[in-house]
Every structure is written in structure tokens, then in C-alpha cells.
Amino acid sequence: MGRHSLLCLAAITLPFTTIEGQVEIDDPGPVAEATLSVCNLGGPPDNDGTILRNFPGDDYPGYEVFAGRVGLPTARTLQAAPAGLEDSSAAFFSKAGLNVKPDRPFTLVVPRNWRERLSIAWGGARRTLRLRVDLECGDAPDDTWVGYPGGYWIDEPACAPLIVKTEGSARRVRLGIGAPCDFLPSTGEPDGERQAATLP
């Protein structure tokens, strides 16, 4: 069973509806919720997920690990380019992988007051406002991390918030999507934004 091979499937879940596929150029808006849930080691290579080498580490500058299970690029400013979508809330796109620790579920939530401005997607799925990640990777080694291609859509470059929700807590983080976030010089922490957050 090789660690170079991985098959990860992305499914979008809505009430009574399941949608799969790539983001369409005329996509009118994000879906309410998406789920990344299947991870089969030993399958053929797949663009929806890749086993990462040496994560976390110097090969992934700007990434920070939250709750021991999700890596996000919160320590650097991401590039943002015109997205080409008709949806004005998704005028710009920042490409940045989502790095996931298998078998440790979590949810990424766009805060309520940003849902007309920000959306997210990884793993070849449509844009969403809430992403549930629950990978069951079976015999994956303890140090396994899985990376998904995707990123962030935003109405204009900004320092944007995102909530990382686990079983017993919710934490607000900030992402510099085409614009820098201000950090406290004494600690390097965003000003007040990584304190526990109430799920909106």
C-alpha cells in the first residue's frame, strides 16, 4: 500500500440534493454546505487529494495548524486574481491548498456577516459557505496529511475571517486574501481574532 497514491472524493450535500463536479464559470453562487468525507489509500492518483510530504514544515510557508487537524495559510498574504465569475461576491480568487489530518473531523464556516462576500471550495467541488471535513483513511500512518487544491473567493481583497469548528470549540482565524492582515508585533497573533468564537 503506497503512500503516494490516494483517492479522495468530494461530495456536496444539500437538503434532498447531492451535487458533484468542478466549479462552473457561470456558477451563480455558493451552496449552503459541502462535505469532504472519503479517503481511500492505495487507489489511483487523484487531483482531489494528495498525501503531503513534510507537512507542517518549511515546504509550506505561511501555513499554521489549528486544533491539530487543519492547516491554513494564515501567516502570509495570499495573491488574489480576478475570478471571471458572474457572481459579484466572488470577483477575486486566491488559490491555496487545504491541508487535513485524517480521522479528525472539523468544519470550516464563513461567518454570517461575510456570507455575501466570501466563499470557499476544495477538492473539485462547488463553492460553499460551510465545509465539513471528515476523512476516514483507514490504515493511514499517524503522520499522514492530505492536501486539497482549491481556495477562497471574495468580493474584493481583504483580511477575511473564517471559523474553524471542532467537537468542543470554535476558533476564528484571519486570512489575508489579496490584502494583508495586521498582526500584533509582540506575539504575531492577529488582534483578538484567534480567540474562541461562537458558531454563527
Side-chain angles (χ1 to χ4, degrees), residues 82-153:
L85 298 181
E86 295 182 1
D87 184 353
S88 62
S89 72
F92 294 87
F93 174 67
S94 283
K95 182 178 180 179
L98 174 67
N99 299 342
V100 176
K101 189 78 169 173
D103 303 311
R104 297 185 184 180
F106 64 90
T107 303
L108 298 178
V109 182
V110 175
R112 182 176 290 111
N113 61 338
W114 277 79
R115 291 177 187 172
E116 299 298 322
R117 300 189 58 189
L118 177 67
S119 54
I120 56 179
W122 287 275
R126 284 186 56 185
R127 292 186 294 125
T128 186
L129 301 173
R130 181 183 178 102
L131 178 71
R132 169 72 175 170
V133 180
D134 190 1
L135 300 184
E136 297 181 1
C137 289
D139 296 330
D142 291 340
D143 62 350
T144 296
W145 284 81
V146 181
Y148 290 93
Y152 309 87
W153 285 260

Side-chain angles (χ1 to χ4, degrees), residues 3-104:
R3 294 183 59 195
H4 290 284
S5 298
L6 176 70
L7 174 64
C8 292
L9 304 177
I12 303 301
T13 57
L14 289 171
F16 313 110
T17 305
T18 297
I19 305 172
E20 294 181 306
Q22 300 292 326
V23 176
E24 298 296 336
I25 198 67
D26 60 349
D27 178 19
V31 294
E33 183 168 330
T35 302
L36 295 176
S37 61
V38 179
C39 172
N40 295 320
L41 294 177
D46 191 284
N47 289 332
D48 287 347
T50 303
I51 291 180
L52 303 180
R53 299 292 183 178
N54 305 316
F55 183 82
D58 294 340
D59 293 339
Y60 302 89
Y63 272 79
E64 296 182 287
V65 174
F66 297 92
R69 65 195 68 190
V70 53
L72 297 169
T74 55
R76 64 184 174 94
T77 301
L78 303 173
Q79 293 183 343
L85 298 181
E86 295 182 1
D87 184 353
S88 62
S89 72
F92 294 87
F93 174 67
S94 283
K95 182 178 180 179
L98 174 67
N99 299 342
V100 176
K101 189 78 169 173
D103 303 311
R104 297 185 184 180

